[in-house]
Amino acid sequence: MSARELPWTEKYRPRRILDVAGNEEAKKKYVAWINSWVRGKPTKKAALLYGPPGCGKTSIVFATAQEFNWELIELNASDVRSREAIEARVFSSSRTGSVAGYAGKIILLDEVDGISPREDAGGLQAILDLIERSAYPVVLTANDPWDPKLRPLRDVCELIEFKRLGKRDVVKVLESICAKEGITCDKEVLSAIAENAKGDLRAAINDLQTLAAGRKSISLADLQVLGERAEQESMFEVVRTVLTAKTPEQALSVTRLPSLDYEMLLQWLSENVVYQYEPSLQAIADAYDALSWADVMLSRMKREQQWALLSYALELMTAGVASARQRPPFKFVKYNFPEKLRLLSRMKEQREKFRRAVRLAARNLHVSTSTFKTEILPYIKVIYEHDRKKGEELLEKLGVRREDLEVVLRG
Ligand SMILES: Nc1ncnc2c1ncn2[C@@H]1O[C@H](COP(=O)(O)OP(=O)(O)OP(=O)(O)O)[C@@H](O)[C@H]1O
Ligand SMILES: [Mg+2]
């Protein structure tokens, strides 16, 4: 995906409730509830939309706001606890209509299952108060609503279950995106993407966008790329095991996985430990300490061929991280793909082009690639700056293809 391109999940987010695919029953129930608000006689003041990721829970609320021209007010647990925030955003002039020409408001508390009752003492109560006082529809979403701590919320909400989307629904959405993007794509490919996404439309759309990058048609051969998602998923599990382990032994158990990519694990843990361990700064500091030692061990291991160091590195990054002091109680966290790796893979293609071109040019000149890069390329760049045509000609004479010129001159 190029930096300028909007993620398709955002670009094609449903704009009207009817655009939300699948889940007919849930939509019916939701629309009935919304309509009861429109008529001024809400059946319940709040609705709790629950179900697996990527099936349209958050989207249907966004769509509602657009369709009715309501101001969407998104709150999180800490907003709700802060009286000022709530007063200012929800209740100020609430009963007299709102600014900017909106016809009303809708309040969204997304992912309420992330609330931890111990840290958010009073958070739950604050949500209940909000629902009680609100003059506007309040929508809560959750993946898992059955946690006992959410019981009081369940009691005051209209419960609406969203299910995994069926394969046919997923394929239909993908087809319509292809049509809008002017991409031709085998039906088989779309069906494989849908299969792979297991009812998660967000994942399916992301996969489609990845596959479609720079192409106008997608064939079965392009599908290999998707294999990577499976790898990513198992990494989620490994990270979760380490970051939520109750004992160091539990965390250590992941090192026995035959396919463990420990360098990858180090990146993933570095990216995500902070989300899991916040708000305890001490725990975060201790965990990063363990990770940095693991990093030191790994590079020493490679530099000095001291393979025995691997077991220390592994212990540090698993048991070491898991025994960070004052680890906060478990909470549900969505892990991220490490930013660094994402950047790397985006740049990988460019780097490969560069390497290929440089290797060829060096071979034609009978020098090593490093000599070419340090002793020859800089001069060609200087020539290029003064005389573009000459610089390009030189590179082309050395065998660099026209389409690779830019990468070489930038590299
Ligand atoms: N039923 C749907 N119809 C159309 N698009 C959808 C649907 N479900 C998901 N999408 C697409 O996937 C993206 C993510 O969906 P959404 O944010 O609604 O998921 P969610 O159910 O709230 O998931 P989570 O539990 O992870 O928050 C949307 O931006 C949209 O592009
Ligand atoms: Mg959501």
Side-chain angles (χ1 to χ4, degrees), residues 54 57-59 110-111 141 202 334:
K57 302 182 297 298
T58 304
S59 295
D110 220 0
E111 302 174 0
T141 76
R202 181 192 289 118
K334 272 194 198 157

Side-chain angles (χ1 to χ4, degrees), residues 8-10 12-14 19-23 51-60 110-111 141-143 165 173 201-202 205 334:
W8 288 357
T9 49
E10 292 308 324
Y12 296 109
R13 216 187 242 287
D19 299 336
V20 175
N23 275 306
C55 62
K57 302 182 297 298
T58 304
S59 295
I60 205 170
D110 220 0
E111 302 174 0
T141 76
N143 290 127
L165 293 180
V173 174
L201 194 46
R202 181 192 289 118
I205 296 175
K334 272 194 198 157

Side-chain angles (χ1 to χ4, degrees), residues 203-253:
I205 296 175
N206 282 335
D207 282 346
L208 180 66
Q209 186 169 17
T210 309
L211 282 176
R215 294 196 186 85
K216 280 291 162 206
S217 80
I218 311 174
S219 67
L220 270 177
D222 300 319
L223 266 187
Q224 276 170 346
V225 189
L226 280 185
E228 290 168 18
R229 175 171 297 282
E231 263 168 49
Q232 199 173 321
E233 223 154 70
S234 60
M235 196 47 106
F236 277 116
E237 286 312 308
V238 175
V239 171
R240 194 172 308 289
T241 307
V242 173
L243 293 185
T244 64
K246 297 211 173 62
T247 63
E249 288 75 26
Q250 258 176 28
L252 199 55
S253 71

Side-chain angles (χ1 to χ4, degrees), residues 119-138:
E119 284 151 39
D120 282 313
L124 223 50
Q125 190 52 50
I127 296 178
L128 290 168
D129 292 345
L130 167 73
I131 293 173
E132 164 115 29
R133 289 176 63 203
S134 177
Y136 301 102
V138 179

